[in-house]
Amino acid sequence: MQVPAAGDRTGQQHYAARIEARHETVLAFQVGGRVSARLAEVGDTVAVGAVLARIDSSDLRLRERDLAARLAASRAERADAASALRRTNELRPKGFVSQAEFDRVAYRDQAAAAQVEALTAQLGLAARDLAYAALTAPAAGVITARMIEAGQVVGAGQPAFSLAQVGQIEAVFDLPEHQRAGLPDTVQVTLWTQPDHPLTAKVREIAPQAADGSRTYRVRATLPVSDGPPPGLGSSATVAFAGSVALPAIPPTAVLKRDDGQPAVWVVDGQGTVRLRPVTLGPVQGDRVAIAGGLGAGDWVVTAGVHDLRDGQAVNLP
């Protein structure tokens, strides 16, 4: 092939993608205890409010009963204090009750009222903790991970399930830095299981910072909602869009390694012979590899059978 000039070649750029849910939530119990039942498995489709697991609620029920009994006793004490305060108010104008006695009865009534209020709040918390003994799905979706087993003792906040909400599905792929500025608003997503049915996805998010290892930017494109079954989460796809090449790019089959480990390509000179020329590789551009140095626009390079050539061998151009 003849090496194109940098930025001159335009066409479809292709990148590998993975189908993921836009919202994936890690679910956990809000109270600790021993798991008495696990009712969901990885891959299960669950409705909103479905019970996924339960913990043993015996201790929680005992605590609720204890607080209910203490609240009943406190209300009786509050009634007695209120009755004593009414009698004191009736006797005070007649001079039968001192100011100190009146203050003591009034303070007792206030303390009893506060005790009733505190125990009422504690009983409400106990009832809520008892409801938390059942872990429910906050939204409809698919269970993608399970981290607990029946009989296991878990703490509050310990991850139990991962739930992927299937309302919005996205294609996630990594984009080289030189293609970031030219990424259009929509891309074509083709599932590997449905090669004849490309989908138009809207680019929703481009990571503001490049990944440390690959120096690529994570892109998320939202797939359209269809009447048919949604794509399988974790399935593979190909993302394509039109864009220009910032660096000259050639097929990776044209690159070989010299004895010293440096990359090189076979270049056809003006006499129709091949010469091994060292090159500097750039980032991968879809199904091609960029050449940062060593080749010029218009050079002819061998793309197939590179391991069968020798330096100075005559070849015929296609």
Side-chain angles (χ1 to χ4, degrees), residues 87-99 101:
R87 290 194 300 270
T88 303
N89 281 328
E90 294 173 356
L91 296 175
R92 186 183 179 192
K94 300 177 182 180
F96 295 120
V97 177
S98 66
Q99 182 65 38
E101 179 65 15

Side-chain angles (χ1 to χ4, degrees), residues 59-84:
D59 292 345
L60 298 175
R61 292 184 184 280
L62 288 175
R63 180 169 180 266
E64 184 185 39
R65 290 172 57 186
D66 174 65
L67 287 171
R70 290 168 58 187
L71 177 60
S74 180
R75 284 173 175 168
E77 179 67 22
R78 170 74 172 87
D80 180 64
S83 177

Side-chain angles (χ1 to χ4, degrees), residues 14-219:
H14 299 272
Y15 298 93
R18 175 184 172 89
I19 303 302
E20 297 181 0
R22 177 175 179 178
H23 301 288
E24 188 164 358
T25 308
V26 177
L27 306 180
F29 284 104
Q30 293 183 249
V31 292
R34 181 180 59 83
V35 179
S36 60
R38 177 179 56 79
L39 307 175
E41 188 53 86
V42 175
D44 288 351
T45 300
V46 297
V48 57
V51 178
L52 307 179
R54 299 181 186 275
I55 63 173
D56 186 2
S57 59
S58 301
D59 292 345
L60 298 175
R61 292 184 184 280
L62 288 175
R63 180 169 180 266
E64 184 185 39
R65 290 172 57 186
D66 174 65
L67 287 171
R70 290 168 58 187
L71 177 60
S74 180
R75 284 173 175 168
E77 179 67 22
R78 170 74 172 87
D80 180 64
S83 177
L85 181 61
R86 286 194 301 270
R87 290 194 300 270
T88 303
N89 281 328
E90 294 173 356
L91 296 175
R92 186 183 179 192
K94 300 177 182 180
F96 295 120
V97 177
S98 66
Q99 182 65 38
E101 179 65 15
F102 175 80
D103 291 342
R104 185 185 67 78
V105 173
Y107 292 154
R108 177 181 169 226
D109 179 71
Q110 294 175 10
Q115 182 70 10
V116 169
E117 184 177 355
L119 288 175
T120 301
Q122 292 181 34
L123 183 60
L125 290 175
R128 190 172 65 176
D129 287 347
L130 185 59
Y132 289 155
L135 179 61
T136 59
V142 177
I143 301 297
T144 58
R146 170 182 55 79
M147 291 79 86
I148 61 171
E149 286 289 351
Q152 178 181 351
V153 177
V154 298
Q158 180 178 336
F161 295 93
S162 180
L163 175 70
Q165 302 179 28
V166 295
Q168 291 187 342
I169 305 298
E170 297 182 332
V172 182
F173 62 99
D174 295 320
L175 188 69
E177 184 175 2
H178 68 275
Q179 289 288 357
R180 184 172 180 236
L183 181 67
D185 293 336
T186 59
V187 295
Q188 295 297 313
V189 179
T190 304
L191 300 174
W192 288 11
T193 56
Q194 301 177 13
D196 298 329
H197 297 84
L199 303 173
T200 300
K202 182 176 178 59
V203 175
R204 181 184 66 85
E205 175 185 293
I206 304 176
Q209 184 175 355
D212 293 336
S214 61
R215 307 307 301 167
T216 57
Y217 291 83
R218 178 62 55 90
V219 180

